[in-house]
Amino acid sequence: MHIIAIGWLYVVALMTLTERNLVAGALTLLFYGLLPVALLLWLFGGPGRRRHAARQAAQDSRTDSGDEDPAPPP
């Protein structure tokens, strides 16, 4: 998914360079590049965030109950 975002940002950067003035270039970069890519990564990153939160909650519950694995021997 990240390679798609990088490719799209490259295309938008080239579009930005062809704009006639700085304001149009900045708005192109913002509305065609940064905001859509941020939304895309946020939407498709949801399952990973949920897995990380569940893993963190399971680890916290293990440490609270004292069921933590002993340290491996050196």
Side-chain angles (χ1 to χ4, degrees):
M1 181 55 58
H2 290 99
I3 192 73
I4 294 169
I6 291 168
W8 179 248
L9 287 175
Y10 176 73
V11 169
V12 171
L14 293 178
M15 289 171 51
T16 301
L17 291 175
T18 63
E19 292 292 341
R20 294 191 184 267
N21 60 29
L22 185 62
V23 174
L27 292 176
T28 298
L29 182 65
L30 181 67
F31 289 114
Y32 282 122
L34 298 178
L35 291 177
V37 167
L39 179 65
L40 178 83
L41 292 177
W42 181 71
L43 287 174
F44 285 104
R49 284 192 307 272
R50 281 192 292 274
R51 280 192 305 269
H52 178 71
R55 198 176 316 125
Q56 187 68 29
Q59 184 178 6
D60 289 344
S61 68
R62 270 201 322 251
T63 58
D64 290 344
S65 65
D67 292 341
E68 190 173 339
D69 295 333

